[in-house]
Amino acid sequence: GAARPDATCLRSPKAAAAVAAGARHLVLVGRRGPADDDAHTALAELKAQGVKVYVEACDIADAQAADDLFKRLKRSAPPLAAIIHGAMVLDDSIIANLDAEKLQKVLRPKVLGAENLDRASRGLNLGYFVLFSSATTFVGNPGQGAYVAANAYLDALAPRRKAEGLPALALAWGAIANTGVLARNRGLMEALSSRIGVKPIAPHTALH
């Protein structure tokens, strides 16, 4: 379905999927806000398409920060109608070398971020609550035990929300070419290809 153009979509941290669905009011949330030239270029392109963009520097895994964000949006933006949670951190390590710090670093943005968004959005008339999970929860990936666990939480949160009559969808993405972490880390893409035969799909294909 299409997003409501008269309502707001909260997206953490990128916007292509929301704009493709028809959103015209976007809240882009990241821990540091637009951090590089690519981010500023993307913002300019969104604005050129007629999209009203609200940029928020917020650690969505911090409960108080998430609550404060929702309060600000209630005052300054059209009603929130969709949430897309795409936060992630990678810190690969085989299980034997995992410690609490490494585990927390990977789990925190996905798990606590999703938990806070779920809690803070209760009572809102959302049309979409989308969680970006990963196909690694089905096929595994050596060295990514913490990442798989974080995505497994998202895969469990979606049906829990749906059982409560709330919108929810967990998308188990595979590798997507020329964007995100794989575009910045060619070595990771080569490792995925050689270890488990993963081939990336084009962003346009993924969104359609």
Side-chain angles (χ1 to χ4, degrees), residues 51-123:
V51 179
K52 173 66 174 178
V53 182
Y54 307 80
V55 179
E56 292 279 348
C58 172
D59 181 1
I60 205 67
D62 181 294
Q64 186 61 58
D67 288 345
D68 290 344
L69 171 65
F70 275 74
K71 290 175 183 176
R72 290 196 300 276
L73 295 180
K74 186 175 182 180
R75 295 192 302 265
S76 62
L80 192 62
I83 292 175
I84 304 175
H85 179 46
M88 65 167 289
V89 169
L90 288 178
D91 190 1
D92 293 356
S93 176
I94 62 173
I95 291 177
N97 294 334
L98 270 180
D99 55 27
E101 183 178 354
K102 279 182 172 288
L103 194 60
Q104 179 73 357
K105 180 179 178 182
V106 176
L107 293 180
R108 188 176 181 276
K110 275 191 176 285
V111 173
L112 292 184
E115 183 178 278
N116 290 333
L117 290 169
D118 171 46
R119 175 186 49 76
S121 65
R122 297 291 174 123

Side-chain angles (χ1 to χ4, degrees), residues 120-136:
S121 65
R122 297 291 174 123
L124 298 180
N125 184 26
L126 294 180
Y128 301 91
F129 187 95
V130 181
L131 303 163
F132 280 12
S133 180
S134 170
T136 58

Side-chain angles (χ1 to χ4, degrees), residues 18-31:
V19 173
R24 285 298 172 262
H25 298 267
L26 291 178
V27 182
L28 303 182
V29 181
R31 283 170 296 171

Side-chain angles (χ1 to χ4, degrees), residues 185-204:
N185 189 340
R186 185 164 184 81
L188 176 59
M189 185 65 254
E190 291 173 350
L192 287 171
S193 179
S194 64
R195 290 189 302 204
I196 56 177
V198 169
K199 300 295 184 184
I201 58 176
H204 181 271

